[in-house]
Amino acid sequence: MQHNSYRELTVASMVLGLIQGIILNLAFVYAALKLGFSIGGSTVAAITGYALLRGVMKKGTSIENNINQTIASGINTVGTGIVFTLPALYMLNAKWAAAGEPIINFSLWPFIFSGLAGAILGVVVIIPLRKQMIDLDRLRFPSGVAVATIIRSGSTGLGKAKLLGLGFLISAIWKLLMVAGWLDIPHVIYGEELHFGFGIIPDYLSPVLYLSLMNLAAGMLAGRGGLSFFAGGALAWWVISPIAVALGWVGANLSGEAQSGFIYGQMLRPLGIGALMGGALMGVVMTFPAIKSALVALANASKLEKVQGVSNDEMPFKVLIWGLVGAVIMFFVATYMVAGVTITQAILASIIGPIWLALAALIVAQATGMTDISPMSGMALITVTIMMFILNHNIAAAMVVGLAVCVAIGQAADMMQDLKTGHLIGGRPKMQQIAQFAVTWIGAIVAIGAVYVLWKAGPGGANGFGEGTSLPAPQASVLMGIIEGLKTGNIPLAKYIMGGTLGMLLAAAPLAGLGVMVGLAMYLPFSITLGYGIGCFIQMWILKSKGVHFVEHKLVPFAAGLIIGEAITGIGHAAFEIIKTSF
Amino acid sequence: MKIFAIVLYVISIVIGISVSAKVVPAGEMPDNLMLFFVGVIGAIIGLILWHRSNREEVKEMLENAKEEDNPLVHLAKVKEQINHLQVEGDYLAAVDSISEGPIFHFIEESRKLLDIFGQEQGAQIILSFAQVERALNRSWSAFSDGHIEEANRSLQHAKELIGNLEVPTV
């Protein structure tokens, strides 16, 4: 096939994506240190790309805009993996120095290496995963659908554009009302949640609904396919939780939110992490023949290109092999550069690290594919736990691998969303992957540089973020607490093993992704799962009463608008909060 | 049989997860492990029966050839409609109609191909079909961007791909 005249991977799309990616990366690193959360940049990039490529340049195409948003979100997402991990090391050092305890001597170079390895591996692992999850499992990837809707909106007629706009407006206004607290009612609506227990439904049944239209819309896009996620939440909070209370497994002195907090933190969350791992592992085993088929298809496409000179849409198979080899070497170099790491430990870390990373990428890609939610903090926790064990409790070395894994799984999830967009608008995966390979590493350098500069901006060239500063870094504080817990050996191993066994049994059921979905539902607060489930039921009801045409032409653009509206308002709110607290 | 298998599986999973929830000190295993293993074994038996009844269902479906449940029937319709498609008139609506009609129904039922032909061959058909779908989507985008030549080229590519899509004999 010849594609010469139809603009796709162009200098304009790459430069625009690069500029937007760097800006978004810096902004979200700062926002994540300030507020504790980050936001994907695909929607912003797609809208800007639409305006600049088509509006200003007058020659942009849909698939060219897709390359722009792929690059922008790729560079931006790398920052998320870094900002949730690296600051924890700085903050631990500051805390231990203040307490007169020995500190960790570390250099930034291993982290730069691991950031680059993670960025590359994140793109590499999704080469076969794309075929598995987008082509074979047909996962919905709600944000990917939303971005495709934006890109196509100019060509799909005024009706769809209006619905997209209406969804955007409703969601933006709703988000504003929520963050401003104007609808808050004491004990009923607060913190963007509706507490509908009213003293009648006990807290251990988690009568809480997350009032996010984005969450609802993700469920509306998933429909019947997302029900396993809701079922997992219902099983956790409407079956296991009351059983645990009835059998007296929850301390009698606990009641109300403390009781539900105990059930969540001590029972469901660790079981959920175990189920996520077991589910992903068994998922690979169960679908191995299909994965093999996907790899064979990739290899055959490469051969055909070589022998017959036919241009194909797939990344050459050798990229997968060389990417893996290169990343393993970088893992080894990064780990070995850390003081106190032996050559055997570095070899072990460079073998186990990428294997675990591939599994974690599979978990995160599957989770985002169905729900738009990425369990990154759980994956970081497991990585650091495994690596602390392998690397003889060397915290800096464990964090080097942890950073690589977080960067890679963030990349994998983002790239998968981008590839879903590409599938829907007919972009070539190879072009998107080349673009991401070419520039994604920049995100690692930008984000590590930003964290370093912000830390050094503190009094005396340190303590620029953390407790007591204007940048509290909430996510890194959580990881810091986990590392301190690991030092004392406080790991709920029994829960991980039992959850893992059940996750494997769930994944073996003839329902795609059941193990990972139930694990994710147990890992997340039920308020999110409930809102998502309501969205699923709404879509199923509309599909039954109005048909598939109505769903595709009315519901999908409206739901996409709801997702975009909350994302954009969320970014605006983050910027506003930063400005407000800075002056 | 299927209902029994699912009920046994679900109850066993609920037993297993509920038992696992008991909090024990770090490094220790709970004292109700026996019940946990009962749940695990029950779930395994339920799974075996569930998979077996699914295979029987597919066999029966192929024998009775119920149109709306059979992915191969939808695949044939996709093939026929794409082959008749031309880049002219309200092309976007014509592509949408195929996407929401036979393509949608094929995707809904496509996992049955894994039971019919086995994971490897079944996956091959679904993966090849995804290429057809993407080429058709590209044709849609090109037409909407005003690139008629590319729209034609991509549609031709979709026709070639679906023409080459080989379905083994059941």
Side-chain angles (χ1 to χ4, degrees):
Chain A
M1 260 189 101
Q2 295 296 314
H3 303 275
N4 298 342
S5 59
Y6 193 42
R7 292 168 63 89
E8 188 164 7
L9 184 59
T10 61
V11 174
S13 64
M14 290 202 69
V15 171
L16 186 59
L18 193 67
I19 294 168
Q20 290 193 94
I22 291 172
I23 293 170
L24 289 170
N25 181 309
L26 288 169
F28 290 158
V29 162
Y30 192 78
L33 285 173
K34 187 109 189 163
L35 307 169
F37 62 86
S38 190
I39 305 154
S42 291
T43 45
V44 182
I47 293 169
T48 317
Y50 190 84
L52 292 175
L53 292 169
R54 300 193 76 162
V56 177
M57 289 175 58
K58 305 281 183 204
K59 56 182 179 183
T61 67
S62 304
I63 53 174
E64 189 180 14
N65 192 8
N66 185 42
I67 294 290
N68 153 59
Q69 68 86 16
T70 299
I71 292 173
S73 65
I75 295 175
N76 162 45
T77 311
V78 174
T80 311
I82 287 164
V83 80
F84 284 1
T85 49
L86 183 58
L89 206 53
Y90 281 109
M91 286 155 63
L92 266 177
N93 256 356
K95 188 180 173 186
W96 290 345
E101 292 175 30
I103 62 161
I104 310 157
N105 286 313
F106 69 93
S107 146
L108 272 187
W109 286 108
F111 289 94
I112 292 172
F113 262 88
S114 74
L116 296 178
I120 293 169
L121 258 180
V123 185
V124 168
V125 292
I126 50 92
I127 294 175
L129 280 186
R130 181 191 74 79
K131 281 201 165 286
Q132 176 70 28
M133 297 200 176
I134 295 175
D135 292 354
L136 193 58
D137 290 343
R138 317 292 304 198
L139 300 188
R140 195 60 164 159
F141 291 99
S143 282
V145 174
V147 173
T149 310
I150 297 173
I151 293 174
R152 296 178 86 171
S153 61
S155 316
T156 48
L158 203 59
K160 276 191 185 177
K162 273 184 182 169
L163 281 168
L164 184 78
L166 182 68
F168 178 94
L169 204 65
I170 291 172
S171 187
I173 292 170
W174 183 252
K175 180 72 180 172
L176 270 179
L177 290 171
M178 284 293 111
V179 294
W182 289 334
L183 296 182
D184 283 8
I185 302 168
H187 309 297
V188 179
I189 298 176
Y190 55 92
E192 297 188 48
E193 286 182 334
L194 169 69
H195 297 251
F196 56 89
F198 303 113
I200 301 164
I201 306 171
D203 279 333
Y204 62 75
L205 294 178
S206 189
V208 187
L209 175 66
Y210 180 35
L211 296 171
S212 158
L213 292 181
M214 181 190 251
N215 189 36
L216 184 84
M220 280 157 73
L221 289 176
R224 197 179 62 180
L227 278 187
S228 54
F229 180 54
F230 172 72
L235 171 70
W237 287 97
W238 294 344
V239 179
I240 300 169
S241 178
I243 288 175
V245 173
L247 293 176
W249 293 348
V250 184
N253 54 334
L254 294 174
S255 62
E257 286 186 10
Q259 192 183 46
S260 58
F262 178 86
I263 292 168
Y264 177 57
Q266 302 294 316
M267 297 177 167
L268 299 177
R269 204 157 191 256
L271 270 178
I273 289 175
L276 272 170
M277 289 200 286
L281 207 60
M282 183 53 97
V284 173
V285 175
M286 291 296 288
T287 56
F288 183 73
I291 293 173
K292 195 176 134 204
S293 201
L295 288 170
V296 168
L298 278 173
N300 285 344
S302 298
K303 275 184 208 155
L304 204 67
E305 185 169 22
K306 210 170 174 180
V307 176
Q308 298 179 3
V310 180
S311 165
N312 82 76
D313 295 344
E314 305 294 347
M315 204 73 168
F317 194 65
K318 61 184 177 194
V319 175
L320 178 65
I321 306 296
W322 285 112
L324 282 172
V325 172
V328 166
I329 292 169
M330 286 174 91
F331 252 86
F332 173 78
V333 173
T335 320
Y336 195 53
M337 279 169 86
V338 180
V341 175
T342 65
I343 195 158
T344 314
Q345 287 172 338
I347 291 170
L348 261 178
S350 62
I351 294 168
I352 295 171
I355 292 172
W356 161 242
L357 183 151
L359 193 65
L362 184 76
I363 294 171
V364 171
Q366 210 162 30
T368 48
M370 292 184 91
T371 65
D372 240 12
I373 300 162
S374 159
M376 190 186 275
S377 55
M379 298 301 106
L381 157 70
I382 299 164
T383 312
V384 175
T385 308
I386 297 170
M387 287 304 146
M388 289 269 277
F389 176 70
I390 291 173
L391 299 165
N392 197 24
H393 285 75
N394 185 325
I395 295 171
M399 290 289 282
V400 161
V401 181
L403 184 139
V405 170
C406 281
V407 167
I409 57 180
Q411 277 291 295
D414 168 71
M415 188 73 207
M416 206 65 98
Q417 296 274 13
D418 295 339
L419 289 166
K420 176 72 180 187
T421 306
H423 181 84
L424 293 172
I425 63 167
R428 286 188 290 165
K430 189 161 108 176
M431 293 296 127
Q432 284 182 270
Q433 285 160 342
I434 289 172
Q436 190 110 345
F437 259 126
V439 296
T440 191
W441 55 274
I442 295 171
I445 294 170
V446 170
I448 290 175
V451 169
Y452 178 76
V453 168
L454 287 168
W455 179 255
K456 289 285 176 190
N463 297 315
F465 46 76
E467 208 179 327
T469 71
S470 62
L471 299 171
Q475 285 281 2
S477 299
V478 173
L479 187 58
M480 202 172 103
I482 289 165
I483 293 169
E484 288 187 308
L486 286 174
K487 268 185 79 183
T488 59
N490 191 15
I491 308 165
L493 204 59
K495 293 262 175 300
Y496 291 166
I497 294 171
M498 292 166 100
T501 308
L502 293 161
M504 290 171 98
L505 288 171
L506 285 163
L511 295 170
L514 188 64
V516 169
M517 282 306 101
V518 172
L520 185 67
M522 293 172 78
Y523 168 79
L524 290 169
F526 187 54
S527 57
I528 294 175
T529 321
L530 183 59
Y532 178 89
I534 292 171
C536 293
F537 285 117
I538 291 174
Q539 196 254 37
M540 286 164 67
W541 174 69
I542 293 175
L543 184 65
K544 199 175 175 190
S545 56
K546 301 272 185 184
V548 62
H549 185 83
F550 187 90
V551 167
E552 290 300 320
H553 289 269
K554 308 280 184 199
L555 190 70
V556 169
F558 180 70
L562 292 179
I563 290 175
I564 301 157
E566 187 166 325
I568 303 282
T569 314
I571 293 167
H573 170 245
F576 175 74
E577 281 296 312
I578 289 166
I579 294 164
K580 196 175 81 179
T581 50
S582 300
F583 294 100
Chain B
M1 170 73 152
K2 188 173 182 177
I3 292 170
F4 170 74
I6 294 172
V7 169
L8 174 66
Y9 175 74
V10 171
I11 290 174
S12 305
I13 288 284
V14 168
I15 291 171
I17 296 189
S18 304
V19 168
S20 316
K22 190 174 183 183
V23 177
V24 291
E28 284 182 24
M29 292 304 270
D31 54 6
N32 49 12
L33 269 184
M34 191 55 82
L35 204 53
F36 174 74
F37 286 121
V38 167
V40 169
I41 291 166
I44 292 171
I45 296 169
L47 270 176
I48 294 168
L49 295 175
W50 192 356
H51 278 286
R52 188 182 290 173
S53 64
N54 265 6
R55 278 196 297 273
E56 280 165 9
E57 230 173 47
V58 168
K59 206 174 148 193
E60 198 184 308
M61 183 266 294
L62 285 171
E63 281 166 5
N64 296 338
K66 257 173 86 182
E67 240 188 44
E68 67 271 19
D69 294 339
N70 192 338
L72 297 173
V73 172
H74 297 299
L75 182 62
K77 284 184 184 168
V78 175
K79 214 170 197 174
E80 189 195 335
Q81 293 192 22
I82 287 184
N83 281 332
H84 284 103
L85 195 60
Q86 297 294 330
V87 182
E88 59 188 16
D90 196 353
Y91 181 64
L92 300 183
V95 175
D96 282 344
S97 143
I98 300 175
S99 298
E100 288 152 18
I103 289 182
F104 173 83
H105 295 302
F106 172 78
I107 291 167
E108 285 278 286
E109 305 296 334
S110 62
R111 290 198 77 82
K112 284 181 183 160
L113 293 171
L114 304 177
D115 289 321
I116 299 172
F117 299 111
Q119 289 257 343
E120 210 164 330
Q121 277 192 322
Q124 203 55 57
I125 300 170
I126 303 171
L127 293 173
S128 302
F129 184 84
Q131 281 187 295
V132 176
E133 196 191 349
R134 192 155 44 79
L136 197 62
N137 288 341
R138 187 179 181 90
S139 178
W140 189 103
S141 292
F143 188 86
S144 74
D145 287 333
H147 288 256
I148 308 300
E149 197 186 333
E150 176 65 26
N152 262 314
R153 205 159 34 215
S154 295
L155 175 62
Q156 200 51 43
H157 187 46
K159 286 179 180 180
E160 279 167 23
L161 287 169
I162 202 152
N164 294 337
L165 205 164
E166 286 170 18
V167 179
T169 320
V170 183

